[in-house]
Amino acid sequence: MAVGSTVAPPDSPEVRRYNRIRRWLGIAELVLGLALLLVLLMTGWTNWLRDAAYVGGSVQSYSLALFLYVLMLLGISKILSLGLDYYSFHLEHRYQLSNQKARAWVWDEIKGFLVTVVLASVLIELLYFLIRQYSQLWWVLAWAGFLGVVVLLAQLAPVVLFPIFYKFEPLQDEELKLRLVRLGERAGTRVRGVYKWHLSEKSKKANAALTGLGNTRRIILADTLLANYSPDEIEAVLAHELGHHVHKHILKGIAIQAAVTFVGFAAANWVLHYAVERWHAFDTLHDFANLPLLILIFVVLSFLLMPGLNAFSRYNERQADRYAFENIGGVSPFISAMNKLAEQNLAERTPSRWVEWWFYSHPAIARRVAAAQNWAKANA
Ligand SMILES: [Zn+2]
């Protein structure tokens, strides 16, 4: 497919197959999750689980029972999705994209499950505390609380969450550090840190990101990128990440999340009142057997909004790319970095239009390369 002025090299059947399988895995995970929620609600098994959480009345505390219910729900969902999780681990190996041993993968799964249990049970305990105390206004309070948690997690993620799964260390390369300082000075801004992300312990793919908020704001560069890309190419990637910083994309993302979750909590409140008062599916608003219903509302909402949220993300990515074009000597290191990334990560350069529209948080590589070439032509 010709994009812009140049013809992108066609994606190999191998690349197409890999990406198709990954997409189907994502869809299968979603369908499985939805099916679990619907089955729990329609068969009434959620009521059975709630009673089980009270262990025949031997658990007296609402909070403890709620915790046990959440634990059982997460456990069931993990057992159901374990097959798909293992398949994606296997898939990365089949396409020679992984460096991770099976034991390390199992350990990661355990850590991931424990982190989910801790975060989910704290959030859900707070949620039902609010529902219990404020049956009319709980959703506004929960929304405000949720927003606070999102901001806190965005700030803590680089120093608390990510290090659970990966090692990070401040970048030692003096030349690259100097280049970043110069990029920042030109932009009149400053990123506090650049960190080397030890991704190669697990993956052969390359990646980079802007993470954190305030004093944890940093750019992370995968060691797989640092090892294989020229200083000019790494500078192009740094400039792109700096573009996200300059255009305040993390903050804008949080603002969008705030709007989406406001609608989500409002819908949840309406559905919950309806389910209790009209439909008589639950005795009270704070009967936590209705948790699958609450989750269902958010899952459906985020699925419906996926194309919109991805379009927003692609817009931000184009903006960060443009920032890079404007702040590096010429676009050729950017283009060669993009091509290397596509090859290394088995990314599709030219996915079909609807696949890009629905699933892609970044513009297709062919489009990003064409944009760079067009920018260079217009600014020659
Ligand atoms: Zn980006």
Side-chain angles (χ1 to χ4, degrees):
M1 186 176 73
V3 176
S5 54
T6 3
V7 178
D11 291 314
S12 69
E14 188 200 18
V15 166
R16 293 229 174 259
R17 204 174 322 118
Y18 170 69
N19 283 283
R20 202 166 45 232
I21 297 173
R22 290 255 317 210
R23 267 194 303 279
W24 278 111
L25 267 174
I27 293 169
E29 245 163 74
L30 179 77
V31 170
L32 197 66
L34 280 177
L36 171 63
L37 295 171
L38 286 172
V39 165
L40 283 172
L41 289 168
M42 282 164 29
T43 57
W45 288 350
T46 180
N47 297 319
W48 183 86
L49 268 186
R50 175 207 51 216
D51 295 342
Y54 281 102
V55 205
S58 62
V59 167
Q60 297 296 326
S61 146
Y62 176 88
S63 306
L64 179 58
L66 175 55
F67 171 73
L68 292 175
Y69 177 89
V70 170
L71 197 63
M72 286 190 283
L73 197 60
L74 289 174
I76 293 167
S77 133
K78 187 71 210 171
I79 289 165
L80 286 177
S81 65
L82 211 52
L84 290 174
D85 293 346
Y86 179 74
Y87 186 74
S88 41
F89 165 73
H90 169 76
L91 184 72
E92 297 294 295
H93 275 282
R94 199 165 92 204
Y95 284 88
Q96 269 114 43
L97 290 166
S98 178
N99 288 328
Q100 198 176 27
K101 299 259 188 326
R103 241 170 72 179
W105 175 77
V106 171
W107 182 223
D108 262 10
E109 288 289 304
I110 294 170
K111 284 193 289 190
F113 182 72
L114 292 178
V115 169
T116 310
V117 166
V118 170
L119 284 179
S121 43
V122 169
L123 287 175
I124 292 167
E125 291 285 354
L126 282 173
L127 179 69
Y128 278 91
F129 169 79
L130 292 173
I131 295 178
R132 229 158 35 134
Q133 298 292 320
Y134 313 96
S135 65
Q136 297 305 318
L137 270 179
W138 70 270
W139 64 279
V140 185
L141 299 168
W143 170 74
F146 180 79
L147 214 57
V149 171
V150 167
V151 170
L152 190 70
L153 281 184
Q155 185 166 26
L156 291 183
V159 285
V160 177
L161 282 185
F162 302 161
I164 298 177
F165 300 97
Y166 295 99
K167 269 193 237 126
F168 293 91
E169 59 172 320
L171 189 70
Q172 301 296 344
D173 191 316
E174 291 304 322
E175 195 208 325
L176 278 178
K177 279 202 312 217
L178 197 67
R179 281 184 188 234
L180 179 76
V181 169
R182 267 194 240 117
L183 277 172
E185 274 171 0
R186 226 173 304 156
T189 184
R190 185 170 84 87
V191 170
R192 280 159 218 265
V194 183
Y195 285 75
K196 181 175 176 177
W197 167 17
H198 289 256
L199 183 60
S200 66
E201 287 166 15
K202 294 181 185 174
S203 177
K204 294 189 202 304
K205 290 179 175 175
N207 212 337
L210 177 76
T211 63
L213 265 186
N215 58 0
T216 64
R217 175 56 57 84
R218 61 193 60 188
I219 291 173
I220 56 176
L221 295 171
D223 53 352
T224 42
L225 186 111
L226 290 167
N228 303 309
Y229 292 63
S230 74
D232 281 347
E233 288 166 344
I234 296 170
E235 185 180 24
V237 174
L238 274 174
H240 169 94
E241 301 305 338
L242 197 61
H244 283 308
H245 174 72
V246 169
H247 288 291
K248 300 190 165 44
H249 286 157
I250 292 185
L251 218 59
K252 286 178 188 167
I254 291 176
I256 294 278
Q257 237 176 324
V260 169
T261 47
F262 186 81
V263 174
F265 276 115
N269 181 48
W270 189 86
V271 172
L272 220 52
H273 275 280
Y274 190 90
V276 173
E277 286 148 22
R278 300 281 172 83
W279 188 20
H280 303 294
F282 309 100
D283 290 340
T284 59
L285 218 55
H286 63 265
D287 174 1
F288 54 76
N290 61 27
L291 181 60
L293 187 61
L294 283 181
I295 300 172
L296 188 68
I297 292 162
F298 281 93
V299 171
V300 170
L301 189 70
S302 47
F303 178 72
L304 293 177
L305 290 174
M306 207 158 102
L309 294 175
N310 275 334
F312 170 71
S313 168
R314 288 196 302 271
Y315 174 82
N316 288 345
E317 295 301 331
R318 285 197 297 273
Q319 214 171 29
D321 279 355
R322 234 173 4 254
Y323 182 87
F325 307 156
E326 287 160 4
N327 289 285
I328 53 177
V331 297
S332 43
F334 177 86
I335 294 173
S336 61
M338 282 295 126
N339 285 325
K340 269 192 186 176
L341 272 173
E343 208 154 303
Q344 191 175 355
N345 294 357
L346 287 191
E348 278 179 304
R349 288 183 166 88
T350 55
S352 80
R353 205 75 224 221
W354 82 267
V355 163
E356 188 181 358
W357 181 73
W358 197 284
F359 295 102
Y360 273 51
S361 60
H362 289 60
I365 299 258
R367 249 181 253 289
R368 297 176 76 177
V369 168
Q373 287 164 336
N374 291 337
W375 187 90
K377 239 183 273 166
N379 293 278

Coordinates of all heavy atoms in Angstrom, one line a residue, residues 216-267:
T216 N 8.8 12.4 39.7 CA 9.2 11.1 39.2 C 9.2 11.1 37.6 O 9.3 10.0 37.0 CB 8.3 10.0 39.7 OG1 6.9 10.2 39.2 CG2 8.2 9.9 41.2
R217 N 8.9 12.2 37.0 CA 8.9 12.3 35.5 C 10.2 11.9 34.9 O 11.3 12.4 35.4 CB 8.5 13.7 35.1 CG 8.6 14.0 33.6 CD 7.7 13.1 32.8 NE 6.3 13.1 33.2 CZ 5.4 13.9 32.8 NH1 5.7 14.9 32.0 NH2 4.1 13.8 33.1
R218 N 10.2 10.9 34.0 CA 11.5 10.4 33.4 C 11.2 9.8 32.1 O 10.1 9.4 31.8 CB 12.1 9.4 34.4 CG 11.2 8.2 34.6 CD 11.7 7.4 35.7 NE 11.7 8.1 37.0 CZ 12.3 7.6 38.1 NH1 12.8 6.4 38.1 NH2 12.2 8.3 39.2
I219 N 12.3 9.7 31.3 CA 12.3 9.0 30.0 C 13.0 7.7 30.3 O 14.1 7.6 30.9 CB 13.0 9.8 28.9 CG1 12.2 11.0 28.5 CG2 13.2 8.9 27.7 CD1 12.9 11.9 27.5
I220 N 12.3 6.6 29.9 CA 13.0 5.3 30.0 C 13.3 4.7 28.6 O 12.5 4.8 27.7 CB 12.2 4.3 30.9 CG1 10.8 4.1 30.3 CG2 12.1 4.7 32.3 CD1 10.0 3.0 31.0
L221 N 14.6 4.2 28.5 CA 15.0 3.7 27.2 C 15.4 2.3 27.4 O 16.3 2.0 28.3 CB 16.2 4.5 26.7 CG 16.0 6.0 26.3 CD1 17.4 6.6 26.1 CD2 15.2 6.1 25.1
A222 N 14.9 1.4 26.6 CA 15.2 -0.1 26.8 C 16.7 -0.3 26.4 O 17.2 0.3 25.5 CB 14.3 -0.9 25.9
D223 N 17.3 -1.2 27.1 CA 18.7 -1.5 26.8 C 18.8 -2.1 25.4 O 19.8 -2.0 24.7 CB 19.3 -2.5 27.9 CG 18.5 -3.7 28.1 OD1 17.3 -3.8 27.6 OD2 18.9 -4.6 28.8
T224 N 17.7 -2.8 25.0 CA 17.7 -3.4 23.6 C 17.7 -2.3 22.5 O 18.1 -2.5 21.4 CB 16.3 -4.2 23.4 OG1 15.3 -3.4 24.0 CG2 16.4 -5.5 24.1
L225 N 17.3 -1.1 22.9 CA 17.3 0.1 22.0 C 18.7 0.7 22.1 O 19.4 1.0 21.0 CB 16.3 1.1 22.4 CG 16.1 2.3 21.5 CD1 14.7 2.2 20.8 CD2 16.1 3.6 22.3
L226 N 19.2 0.9 23.3 CA 20.5 1.5 23.5 C 21.6 0.7 22.8 O 22.6 1.3 22.3 CB 20.8 1.7 25.0 CG 19.9 2.7 25.7 CD1 20.1 2.5 27.2 CD2 20.3 4.1 25.3
A227 N 21.5 -0.6 22.8 CA 22.5 -1.5 22.3 C 22.6 -1.5 20.7 O 23.7 -1.7 20.2 CB 22.4 -2.9 22.8
N228 N 21.5 -1.3 20.1 CA 21.4 -1.5 18.6 C 21.2 -0.3 17.8 O 21.1 -0.4 16.6 CB 20.3 -2.5 18.3 CG 20.6 -3.8 19.0 OD1 21.6 -4.4 19.0 ND2 19.6 -4.3 19.8
Y229 N 21.0 0.9 18.4 CA 20.7 2.1 17.6 C 21.8 3.1 17.7 O 22.5 3.2 18.8 CB 19.3 2.7 18.1 CG 18.1 1.8 17.8 CD1 18.1 0.5 18.4 CD2 17.1 2.2 17.0 CE1 17.0 -0.3 18.1 CE2 16.1 1.4 16.7 CZ 16.0 0.1 17.3 OH 14.9 -0.7 17.0
S230 N 22.0 3.9 16.6 CA 23.1 4.9 16.6 C 22.7 6.0 17.5 O 21.5 6.2 17.8 CB 23.3 5.4 15.2 OG 22.2 6.2 14.9
P231 N 23.7 6.8 18.0 CA 23.3 8.0 18.9 C 22.3 8.9 18.2 O 21.4 9.4 18.9 CB 24.7 8.7 19.0 CG 25.7 7.6 18.9 CD 25.1 6.6 17.9
D232 N 22.4 9.1 16.9 CA 21.4 9.9 16.2 C 20.0 9.3 16.3 O 19.0 10.1 16.5 CB 21.8 10.1 14.7 CG 22.9 11.1 14.6 OD1 23.2 11.9 15.5 OD2 23.5 11.2 13.5
E233 N 19.9 8.0 16.1 CA 18.6 7.4 16.2 C 18.0 7.4 17.6 O 16.8 7.7 17.8 CB 18.7 5.9 15.7 CG 19.0 5.7 14.2 CD 19.4 4.3 13.8 OE1 19.8 3.6 14.7 OE2 19.3 4.0 12.6
I234 N 18.9 7.2 18.6 CA 18.5 7.3 20.0 C 18.0 8.8 20.3 O 17.0 9.0 21.0 CB 19.5 6.8 21.0 CG1 19.8 5.4 20.7 CG2 19.1 7.0 22.4 CD1 21.1 4.8 21.4
E235 N 18.7 9.7 19.7 CA 18.3 11.1 20.0 C 16.9 11.4 19.4 O 16.1 12.1 20.0 CB 19.3 12.1 19.3 CG 19.0 13.5 19.6 CD 20.0 14.5 19.0 OE1 20.7 14.2 18.0 OE2 20.1 15.6 19.6
A236 N 16.7 10.8 18.2 CA 15.3 10.9 17.6 C 14.3 10.4 18.5 O 13.2 11.0 18.7 CB 15.3 10.3 16.2
V237 N 14.5 9.2 19.1 CA 13.6 8.6 20.1 C 13.4 9.5 21.3 O 12.3 9.8 21.8 CB 14.0 7.2 20.4 CG1 13.1 6.6 21.5 CG2 14.0 6.3 19.2
L238 N 14.5 10.0 21.8 CA 14.5 10.9 23.0 C 13.7 12.1 22.7 O 12.9 12.6 23.5 CB 15.9 11.3 23.4 CG 16.7 10.4 24.3 CD1 18.1 11.0 24.4 CD2 16.1 10.4 25.7
A239 N 13.9 12.7 21.5 CA 13.1 13.9 21.1 C 11.6 13.6 21.0 O 10.8 14.4 21.4 CB 13.6 14.4 19.7
H240 N 11.3 12.4 20.5 CA 9.9 12.0 20.5 C 9.3 12.0 21.9 O 8.2 12.5 22.2 CB 9.7 10.7 19.8 CG 8.3 10.1 19.9 ND1 7.3 10.3 19.0 CD2 7.8 9.3 20.9 CE1 6.3 9.6 19.4 NE2 6.5 9.0 20.6
E241 N 10.0 11.3 22.8 CA 9.5 11.2 24.2 C 9.5 12.6 24.9 O 8.5 12.9 25.6 CB 10.4 10.3 25.1 CG 10.5 8.9 24.5 CD 9.2 8.2 24.4 OE1 8.2 8.6 25.0 OE2 9.1 7.2 23.6
L242 N 10.4 13.5 24.6 CA 10.4 14.8 25.1 C 9.2 15.6 24.6 O 8.6 16.4 25.3 CB 11.7 15.5 24.7 CG 12.1 16.8 25.5 CD1 12.3 16.5 26.9 CD2 13.3 17.4 24.9
G243 N 8.8 15.3 23.3 CA 7.6 15.9 22.7 C 6.4 15.5 23.6 O 5.5 16.4 23.8
H244 N 6.3 14.3 24.1 CA 5.2 13.9 24.9 C 5.2 14.8 26.2 O 4.2 15.2 26.7 CB 5.3 12.5 25.4 CG 4.9 11.5 24.3 ND1 3.7 11.6 23.7 CD2 5.5 10.4 23.8 CE1 3.5 10.6 22.8 NE2 4.7 9.8 22.9
H245 N 6.4 15.0 26.7 CA 6.6 15.8 27.9 C 6.2 17.3 27.7 O 5.4 17.8 28.4 CB 8.0 15.8 28.4 CG 8.4 16.7 29.6 ND1 7.9 16.4 30.8 CD2 9.1 17.8 29.6 CE1 8.3 17.4 31.7 NE2 9.0 18.2 30.9
V246 N 6.7 17.9 26.6 CA 6.4 19.3 26.3 C 4.9 19.5 26.0 O 4.3 20.5 26.5 CB 7.2 19.7 25.0 CG1 6.8 21.1 24.5 CG2 8.7 19.7 25.4
H247 N 4.3 18.5 25.3 CA 2.9 18.7 25.0 C 2.0 18.2 26.2 O 0.7 18.1 26.0 CB 2.5 18.0 23.7 CG 3.1 18.7 22.5 ND1 2.6 19.9 22.1 CD2 4.1 18.4 21.7 CE1 3.2 20.3 21.0 NE2 4.1 19.4 20.7
K248 N 2.5 17.8 27.3 CA 1.8 17.4 28.5 C 0.8 16.3 28.2 O -0.4 16.3 28.7 CB 1.0 18.6 29.1 CG 1.9 19.8 29.5 CD 1.1 20.8 30.2 CE 2.0 21.8 31.0 NZ 3.1 22.4 30.3
H249 N 1.3 15.3 27.5 CA 0.4 14.2 27.1 C -0.1 13.3 28.3 O -1.2 12.8 28.3 CB 1.0 13.3 26.0 CG 1.1 14.1 24.7 ND1 1.9 13.8 23.7 CD2 0.3 15.1 24.2 CE1 1.7 14.6 22.7 NE2 0.7 15.4 23.0
I250 N 0.8 13.1 29.3 CA 0.3 12.3 30.4 C -0.8 13.0 31.2 O -1.8 12.4 31.5 CB 1.5 12.0 31.4 CG1 2.5 11.1 30.6 CG2 1.1 11.3 32.7 CD1 3.7 10.6 31.5
L251 N -0.7 14.3 31.4 CA -1.7 15.1 32.1 C -3.0 15.1 31.3 O -4.1 14.9 31.8 CB -1.2 16.5 32.3 CG -1.6 17.1 33.6 CD1 -1.1 16.3 34.8 CD2 -1.1 18.6 33.7
K252 N -2.9 15.2 29.9 CA -4.1 15.2 29.1 C -4.7 13.9 29.1 O -6.0 13.8 29.1 CB -3.7 15.6 27.6 CG -3.4 17.1 27.4 CD -3.0 17.4 26.0 CE -2.5 18.8 25.9 NZ -1.8 19.0 24.6
G253 N -3.9 12.8 29.1 CA -4.5 11.5 29.2 C -5.3 11.3 30.5 O -6.3 10.7 30.5
I254 N -4.8 11.8 31.6 CA -5.5 11.7 32.9 C -6.8 12.5 32.8 O -7.8 12.0 33.3 CB -4.6 12.2 34.0 CG1 -3.4 11.2 34.3 CG2 -5.4 12.4 35.3 CD1 -2.4 11.7 35.3
A255 N -6.8 13.6 32.1 CA -8.0 14.4 32.0 C -9.0 13.7 31.2 O -10.2 13.7 31.6 CB -7.7 15.8 31.3
I256 N -8.6 13.0 30.2 CA -9.6 12.2 29.4 C -10.1 11.1 30.2 O -11.3 10.8 30.2 CB -8.9 11.6 28.1 CG1 -8.4 12.7 27.1 CG2 -9.7 10.6 27.4 CD1 -9.5 13.2 26.2
Q257 N -9.2 10.4 31.0 CA -9.6 9.3 31.9 C -10.7 9.9 32.9 O -11.6 9.1 33.2 CB -8.4 8.8 32.6 CG -8.2 7.3 32.4 CD -7.0 6.8 33.1 OE1 -6.0 7.5 33.1 NE2 -7.1 5.6 33.6
A258 N -10.5 11.1 33.3 CA -11.4 11.7 34.3 C -12.8 11.8 33.7 O -13.8 11.4 34.3 CB -10.9 13.0 34.8
A259 N -12.8 12.3 32.4 CA -14.1 12.4 31.8 C -14.8 11.1 31.5 O -16.0 10.9 31.8 CB -13.9 13.1 30.4
V260 N -14.0 10.1 31.1 CA -14.6 8.8 30.8 C -15.1 8.1 32.1 O -16.2 7.6 32.1 CB -13.5 7.9 30.1 CG1 -14.0 6.4 30.1 CG2 -13.2 8.4 28.7
T261 N -14.3 8.2 33.2 CA -14.7 7.5 34.4 C -15.9 8.2 35.0 O -16.7 7.6 35.7 CB -13.6 7.4 35.4 OG1 -12.9 8.6 35.5 CG2 -12.6 6.3 35.0
F262 N -16.0 9.5 34.8 CA -17.2 10.3 35.3 C -18.5 9.7 34.7 O -19.4 9.4 35.4 CB -17.1 11.8 35.0 CG -18.2 12.6 35.6 CD1 -18.1 13.0 37.0 CD2 -19.3 13.0 34.9 CE1 -19.1 13.7 37.6 CE2 -20.3 13.7 35.5 CZ -20.2 14.1 36.8
V263 N -18.5 9.5 33.4 CA -19.6 8.9 32.7 C -19.8 7.5 33.2 O -20.9 7.0 33.5 CB -19.4 8.9 31.2 CG1 -20.5 8.1 30.5 CG2 -19.2 10.3 30.6
G264 N -18.7 6.7 33.4 CA -18.8 5.4 33.9 C -19.4 5.3 35.2 O -20.3 4.4 35.4
F265 N -19.0 6.1 36.2 CA -19.6 6.0 37.5 C -21.0 6.5 37.5 O -21.8 5.9 38.3 CB -18.7 6.9 38.5 CG -17.5 6.1 39.0 CD1 -16.2 6.5 38.8 CD2 -17.7 5.0 39.9 CE1 -15.1 5.8 39.3 CE2 -16.6 4.3 40.3 CZ -15.3 4.7 40.0
A266 N -21.3 7.5 36.7 CA -22.7 7.9 36.6 C -23.6 6.8 36.1 O -24.7 6.5 36.6 CB -22.9 9.1 35.7
A267 N -23.1 6.1 35.1 CA -23.9 4.9 34.5 C -24.0 3.8 35.5 O -25.0 3.2 35.7 CB -23.2 4.4 33.2

